[in-house]
Amino acid sequence: MLRAAENTALVPRTAPPTWVVIALACAGQFLVVLDVSVVNVALPSMRADLGLSAPGLQWVVNAYAIAFAGFMLLGGRAGDLYGRKRMFLVGLALFTVASLGGGLAREGWQLLAARGAQGLGAAVLAPSTLTLLTAAVPEGAARARAIATWTAVGAGGGAAGGLVGGLLVDGLSWRWVLLINVPVGAVVLAGSARRLTESRAGDGRRLDLPGALLVTAGLATLAYGIVQTEAEGWTAAATLLPLCAGPTLLGLFLAVEARTKAPLMPLKLLGLRAVSSANAAMFVSGSAMFCMWYFMTLYAQNVLGYTPLDAGLALVPSSLAVVLGSKLAPRVMRAVGARNVAVLGTLVAAAGFGWQSTMTADGGYLTAIMFPGILMMLGAGLAATPLAALATSGAEPRDAGLVSGLINTSRTMGGSLGLAVMSTIAATRTGGGRSAQALTEGYAEAFRTSGVLLLVGVVLMLVWLPRKGAAR
């Protein structure tokens, strides 16, 4: 009986109010997603201050995203085994300290190292945010609303990054896009230590550290190879070697997972249709949508001449649209089902990307930024909630942290690799030109390619996602 009790969630004597758990979980999720996008408007200032190259500038974004994606499965499993609250606190503490280091960086490599450490902290923290929430709210309409709130806050964090970054860069300096995390993280850390209760599904298994290192190394190597194509071309040894090594490392990861007794990613989970199809759809969607904020802020500043604050303000309607889409999704899901809402949201986003690809060097705000941005992010918000609900409905409670980590991994992994690919596509189309017209053509090509990728995602969802499930 004692052994059985150890394998179930620990029941606290006095559980905190559900809204407290949701608020703290969403605050953690907001921070980690905010830092994916908040640096975008600060990139030109970072480049001028630290002397970063163009590829180095891209790695300010990708160092965070790849560490985030690569170690998230490890973070999710650690939460299941050692306690979701404990991992939430450990991840948040690491994230906060790394933010301090990045804000005080004096050399480019110091900033990149801090961004990688931030990503590691986020990878430990993020899976616990969803798992704490789903453990506190019973399955059904209430959980769907809670997941929608979590999705909206996370999406809002990504969307608000431009505005927050613009305010901080214009009012203070680029360093404050990182330093602002320190007081906020400290407040959330104190509140979480006091109010959250512990839960786990500890069954004595060990963490699969070799698996985590292989998947992270594979992702980083593959992304590096894609970035190298811009400077070296597709046939250079400096490009071909990482492009071959990356998939090889990922293949070794799958081989290790198939043989180890305590795999980081139990391959049996991928045999569950809801889990595998929702994560595949999340990967494809993330590959297309992640780059939106990156290119929109560069277009606004490098082509239209917006200040960092102006660029952040220009994307406020998009920020509101993604929150609106996330909050609308549960209501629409009850009427037409999760699969159909995911398809609808992706189609809306694809229409926005197609519109954005018609951008010009002298575009007006309404037609070049606002309206297409609203469509892109409204669709993103509509699609994310049903995909997360489908994935979490297909797994056992003992794997809740792992599935949560897998959802975030799929989205962020797709986003980091997608950013590397889209940046290469944009640079190839630009052809080395720095004029407003050349830059616009490159950005437009990236949006066009992303729109096509989203249509591929629609086909995948129609064919693979379960027709029923998670609609409630």
Side-chain angles (χ1 to χ4, degrees):
M1 183 177 297
L2 291 175
R3 183 173 300 176
E6 292 175 356
N7 293 334
T8 60
L10 298 180
V11 180
R13 291 183 179 178
T14 304
T18 301
W19 70 266
V20 172
V21 178
I22 295 174
L24 291 172
C26 287
Q29 179 72 356
F30 181 86
L31 277 177
V32 300
V33 178
L34 177 73
D35 262 62
V36 175
S37 62
V38 72
V39 299
N40 286 337
V41 296
L43 291 176
S45 300
M46 290 177 175
R47 183 174 188 176
D49 191 17
L50 299 180
L52 292 167
S53 63
L57 207 62
Q58 186 178 323
W59 277 99
V60 173
V61 178
N62 263 351
Y64 180 88
I66 290 174
F68 190 13
F71 284 104
M72 210 175 313
L73 290 175
L74 187 70
R77 178 53 81 196
D80 288 337
L81 300 183
Y82 304 131
R84 283 79 182 246
K85 175 184 175 179
R86 181 178 298 172
M87 290 301 102
F88 183 95
L89 297 177
V90 169
L92 183 56
L94 176 57
F95 179 87
T96 303
V97 172
S99 297
L100 177 63
L104 300 178
R106 296 298 173 184
E107 300 288 341
W109 68 267
Q110 295 172 347
L111 176 61
L112 297 183
R115 288 289 287 168
Q118 268 190 309
L120 177 58
V124 176
L125 166 63
S128 294
T129 64
L130 182 56
T131 311
L132 286 168
L133 184 150
T134 54
V137 184
E139 189 171 357
R143 180 180 291 185
R145 289 193 297 271
I147 290 177
T149 301
W150 177 84
T151 303
V153 169
L163 176 59
V164 173
L167 287 169
L168 293 172
V169 173
D170 268 11
L172 297 168
S173 77
W174 68 262
R175 297 183 182 279
W176 279 95
V177 302
L178 301 174
L179 292 176
I180 192 64
N181 293 327
V182 178
V184 176
V187 170
V188 177
L189 195 63
S192 301
R194 180 180 179 184
R195 301 304 299 273
L196 291 179
T197 54
E198 189 60 277
S199 69
R200 64 169 62 90
D203 54 8
R205 288 180 293 177
R206 296 183 177 182
L207 287 177
D208 178 18
L209 187 58
L213 294 176
L214 281 172
V215 70
T216 305
L219 284 173
T221 304
L222 183 58
Y224 177 76
I226 295 170
V227 172
Q228 284 294 96
T229 61
E230 180 180 340
E232 304 290 341
W234 287 93
T235 59
T239 300
L240 291 176
L241 184 60
L243 284 179
C244 293
T248 300
L249 289 171
L250 293 176
L252 287 174
F253 165 71
L254 294 177
V256 167
E257 300 309 282
R259 289 174 171 79
T260 186
K261 293 182 179 179
L264 178 66
M265 175 65 252
L267 299 185
K268 66 177 182 179
L269 277 180
L270 299 182
L272 299 173
R273 182 177 178 182
V275 174
S276 57
S277 60
N279 277 279
M282 193 77 81
F283 179 90
V284 174
S285 297
S287 299
M289 293 182 185
F290 184 82
C291 65
M292 180 269 190
W293 303 110
Y294 181 82
F295 287 115
M296 288 290 273
T297 52
L298 290 181
Y299 171 63
Q301 293 187 70
N302 295 341
V303 176
L304 301 183
Y306 287 21
T307 65
L309 179 56
D310 291 338
L313 290 171
L315 295 175
V316 167
S318 304
S319 306
L320 298 176
V322 73
V323 176
L324 175 62
S326 299
K327 297 302 287 183
L328 282 176
R331 299 182 181 182
V332 186
M333 284 165 61
R334 287 196 294 270
V336 301
R339 171 178 174 268
N340 292 332
V341 177
V343 169
L344 173 63
T346 307
L347 285 172
V348 171
F353 274 86
W355 187 348
Q356 190 64 56
S357 69
T358 65
M359 62 206 298
T360 62
D362 57 352
Y365 169 67
L366 293 180
T367 57
I369 292 181
M370 180 177 168
F371 290 137
I374 288 175
L375 282 179
M376 285 186 279
M377 290 298 101
L378 178 64
L382 280 171
T385 296
L387 290 176
L390 281 169
T392 55
S393 69
E396 298 177 4
R398 68 195 296 270
D399 290 322
L402 177 60
V403 173
S404 174
L406 184 59
I407 295 167
N408 282 296
T409 296
S410 298
R411 179 169 48 195
T412 311
M413 180 192 306
S416 59
L417 294 179
L419 176 60
V421 171
M422 298 306 168
S423 297
T424 301
I425 289 173
T428 301
R429 180 61 183 267
T430 299
R434 302 304 302 169
S435 67
Q437 183 61 39
L439 291 174
T440 301
E441 291 178 358
Y443 301 153
E445 187 66 22
F447 280 106
R448 190 174 301 114
T449 306
S450 295
V452 172
L453 189 57
L454 286 174
L455 294 179
V456 173
V458 168
V459 175
L460 183 150
M461 293 176 196
L462 288 172
V463 172
W464 198 0
L465 286 178
R467 291 181 178 272
K468 296 181 179 180
R472 63 185 181 277

